[in-house]
Amino acid sequence: MAKTASPSARKARATGRRSPLASVSLLVIGLLATGGAYAMFTTSATAETSSQVTSMVSQGQKLFAANCASCHGMNAQGSSAAPTLIGVGAASVDFQVGTGRMPAAATGPQIAKKAVQFTDSQIAALAAYVASLGPGPAIPEPQYLTGKGNVATGAELFRVNCAMCHNVAGAGGALTQGKYAPNLHSVSAKHIYEAMLTGPQSMPVFNDLNITPQDKANIISYLTYLNKNPSPGGLSLGDLGPVSEGLFVWIFALGSVVAITVWLTAKSN
Amino acid sequence: MADQGTGSGTDVEKYDAAVPTGTGIVTSDRIENPGFEPVRLRVSELDPKKDKANERRVALMFGLSMIGSAGAIAAYIIFPIVPGDPGSVRTNTFLLGLGLALGLFGIGFGAVHWAKSLMDGHDLVEFRHGTRGSDATRAKAAEVFHLGNKESGIGRRHLIRNTLIGALVFFPLPGIVVFRDLAPAADPNQLLKFTMWKKGTRLTKDPSGVPIKASDVTLGSVFHVIPDGLNDLPDKLEQKAKAAVLLMRLKPEDLHVSKGRESWNYQGIIAYSKICTHVGCPVALYEQQTHHLLCPCHQSTFDITHEAEVIFGPANRPLPQLPITIDSEGYLVAQSDFHEPVGPSFWERKH
Amino acid sequence: MTVDTTAAAAAPATGESDLPPTTGTRVTNWAANYIDERTSISGLVKELGRKIFPDHWSFMLGEVALYSFVVILLSGTFLTFFFQPSMAVVTYNGSYAPLKGIQMSTALSSTLNISFDVRGGLLLRQVHHWAALLFIAAIGLHMLRIYFTGAFRKPREINWIIGFVLFILALAEGFTGYSLPDDLLSGNGLRIINGMVEGIPVVGTWIDYLLFGGEFPGTAIIGRFYSLHILLLPAILVAALGAHMVLLIVNKHTQFAGPGRTEGNVVGSPIMPVFAAKAGGFFFIIFGVIMLTASFVTINPVWLYGPYDPSPISAGTQPDWYIGFADGALRLVPPHWEFMLGPYTVSMNIIIPILVLLVLLALVAAYPFFEAWVTGDKREHHIADRPRNAPTRTAIGAAGVTFYGVLWAAASSDLIATHFMLTVESVIHVLQALLIVGPFISYHVAKRICIALQKKDREVALHGFESGRIVRLPGGEYVEVHEQLSDYERWKLVSFDDNAPIMLRPNKDGKITAGARLRARASNWFFEDRIAPVSLTEIEQQHHEHAAVES
């Protein structure tokens, strides 16, 4: 229920201009809906929760044994091919499996994002199983993923902590030995949060004492802002900066200018 | 065009006949220039209808130009910038630019089309003169210099000539000296050798200035660090350009610590200068699995497990390490300043 | 040589006296008279009004640069009305949300205000920056055209040097302008300059200190660059541009070989009216291209970069394209090129790239004098060479372009790596190898291609071209008929300068000097593989044979 509330609010915002009252009333409706749903869910479903969790863990264990154990070991203890998963937490599983990085297809400098191999409920089951093995970062609370934080703070933190690898516009960049920091444009808020929290592959960990959950939410808000507002100047040329600008000027601007000089100096019929 | 039609030979060729040709071969066995091709008339010269059509086309383009310019003014007024809405900036920029571009293209393409299709399109000929002045002119010029010399006596009066040269040599020197105060009086060498880190300065988070506890720094973490109190300084950026630090935690067994540096890390927590020893970009790309630090400007790569030694790229020296420990409250603090100058190499670095 | 002027030169314009006097002509006449009586401008109009400019697309490239520069002046003037070149710290409170409340310099804050709070401000900023990129690109292409057609030869060596100075000034204008907004990207560019200057032996530390007015980044550099960017550099640039144009008029334009065209004439359109209309129209077209680009495509999104701060950096930090070759030179240096000279640090990882760039630029500036020395040719040259007809020059040019190109590519080594799924390390290693080997390969390939094309030209000039018509001979043999060229067509293929190596001869004292030896060797290098143009004798012989076969 909480999940369905936020996309509809986003849709309402996307339709364009509205009166200042509209946002306030929307906010009230959203809060009421979320809160109400949460209250209903917690009161009526407490009894079922524990049994649901156990069934999810056992389902996750089966999935793990079939899909992950060959590298990570039957008890997720790790092997020479893959690290241990004890204590990595549900957030790590949700990120790795939810972005299709796991199960890994081939070894290379880096395991890349690809088509997701499991359904949402299967991912949740896997995450529950791995979370049951030892304490680790949990899947983030939805309140941090709304994209409604302070974009200015988020932008500043992004420049200090993220831009050196992912580029100021989140376009990605090169690391050593063929590794790279991926483009962030189409990454969901939840996965960005989980990546900061767990530090997948080359990425360092940004624990909650380094970047607080609220600041993580601010960073996500900045990235959401960039996704929602196309570059004010026109096409962004992949946000790659002066290199793509230089290529553009040589190929398109100077190219069309040369074509015009040819026309201009050709004899008319 | 005064020379047009004077016929054969020009002074370029006459003059050139007398000068050395070097490697150039002059042969009498050369194929003769066949002269100009017969004139080919354009359709608009042959067909008055086409002529009229072209005229209309040119006028149409000039007309479009007016529409474009008017459109630009309209766009400026109709699509103003709404504060806080970058989309309105995009619309304003796009439509204003489009109108202006049409205004410009209309004039440009119209004028060129006019020149190409309607103006006299036949090639004309102009003769070249040798660039060199004629002998008579050169003699006159030489005479001017000769008279100048004679009347001023500059060639004769050595004392005047030499003192003038001396004066002209000395005159610009004050002009160089006055640039000394482009920078303050201090000696840059001393400034470059010290940063604001000193014993007991807390390591704080960039940009907030919140101090960092050792327990905050978990394995695989990286903190971008500034010295406590930096944000309050008037010369904040100058100090930051030297004092920025990267803080990481590795397993103590992964560190290869050299003699004398054993106490510089705190339980595997290490701090290195973030300023590249090549030309000073922030070396901020930390790979938590390989423990490599990469500079995004020129790809110098430093190995943190080996005290930031250079393993790739143009840098020469390892990043300087900041010795750290904890204070009584568990916050990370510097033991001292860096033990060597940070950042790019300079001539007097070790002097 | 006789030139048939009547065939090509149509009757000059009939003159305004034929037209019936209208109010318009009366006003024009009055104005012309008024101005001339006060300026004697009629002399200038008489002298220049019907000057001839030859038509070829590549002759327009310099104009592209000129017009881009005019656009830069216009848009730049607009920007100066809003831009504040100060590094005083303010808290941004404009309309771009992700920077609200952030501390930044006044320079960046005013740049953001131009972008987000002045209508058309962002457009004009983009016009200014795109025009700057096009300006330098057009200068580069213009220089390549001059080089590859030998248009730098006597009497144009001085204009080559002036053009070279213009190129350097354009680079300086570009770099100072790029730095002005004081954003994170350009600030890191200045940081690199700071590091490079500090690396200069003996005086580097002090020069850097004076340049930045204290420790990097200081609070002076933006204001200083602003003075250079809008006053000193443009003033010198405009003066040099004036000299460039005056010499262009004095020397007249080169032209390509063609029927009726000789070293002694210029064939083309007169300034009034055809060339003026074309060139004037072309200015508006160039302005239009820049305007269209600026309205469609973002350039230098300073709002993403944020204020300069010595700690953050963006992946893919690059300079504008024209400084790329310098950045690339820095990137290609292998590790550990620094050593100690007693107590002093010698940063060869910075000195060598600086020297390489200076030598490269010096070679560009000096080339016309070098070629003049090699050929010993003191004649004036007004017919532009086809690149194939000067194979060694073309090959040297190709080698130079390759060297520059590798340095330029190196400046985007990280983007090449991510976009082609390579490792940064391998990209750099390949480019390091190419920097050394590439120019030699290009040299030889270009030279072979030139000579092959020359041979092909000879073949076509002598035997005509394949007509595609297959004829069966009475004996049953099939042959393709070769069609002979017209005299006009042939002339374009055979009318080029022929050069041969200098013979080594004793001078008047009976000695062979080392200089003469060197020069003979250089001329041998240039011209030993020469393909001579088809001679009159060969053509006649060929015609005889042809006639014999046909009869």
Side-chain angles (χ1 to χ4, degrees), chain C residues 376-447:
Chain C
D377 189 349
K378 303 276 189 259
R379 294 171 299 177
E380 291 192 7
H381 290 276
H382 300 290
I383 297 277
D385 277 327
R386 297 167 83 204
R388 67 184 64 173
N389 290 330
T392 306
R393 178 203 298 147
T394 303
I396 293 171
V401 168
T402 307
F403 189 79
Y404 178 93
V406 171
L407 290 179
W408 189 16
S412 43
S413 54
D414 49 340
L415 291 174
I416 294 174
T418 48
H419 284 249
F420 297 96
M421 308 292 246
L422 303 163
T423 69
V424 179
E425 290 82 358
S426 63
V427 170
I428 288 188
H429 285 144
V430 167
L431 289 175
Q432 282 169 335
L434 269 182
L435 189 70
I436 311 295
V437 185
F440 291 99
I441 297 173
S442 311
Y443 176 89
H444 286 287
V445 169
K447 191 158 178 180

Side-chain angles (χ1 to χ4, degrees), chain C residues 145-208:
Chain C
R145 198 283 292 174
I146 302 287
Y147 178 86
F148 283 110
T149 60
F152 53 77
R153 290 174 295 172
K154 191 181 171 187
R156 296 183 178 80
E157 302 98 321
I158 293 177
N159 224 11
W160 170 266
I161 292 293
I162 296 175
F164 174 79
V165 169
L166 283 168
F167 171 65
I168 300 295
L169 286 169
L171 294 185
E173 276 285 37
F175 187 79
T176 51
Y178 166 86
S179 303
L180 288 183
D182 200 21
D183 56 295
L184 186 59
L185 183 68
S186 70
N188 275 305
L190 281 174
R191 177 53 141 168
I192 293 168
I193 294 293
N194 153 259
M196 285 177 78
V197 175
E198 277 184 1
I200 297 170
V202 190
V203 291
T205 318
W206 277 96
I207 293 181
D208 181 69

Side-chain angles (χ1 to χ4, degrees), chain C residues 52 72-73 78 90 118 136 142 168 198 214 222 235 317 362 414 423 432 454 464 486 494 513:
Chain C
I52 299 299
I72 290 171
L73 287 181
F78 179 85
V90 292
V118 174
I136 306 177
H142 176 58
I168 300 295
E198 277 184 1
I222 298 295
T317 288
D414 49 340
T423 69
Q432 282 169 335
Q454 275 189 303
S486 74
V494 302
T513 60

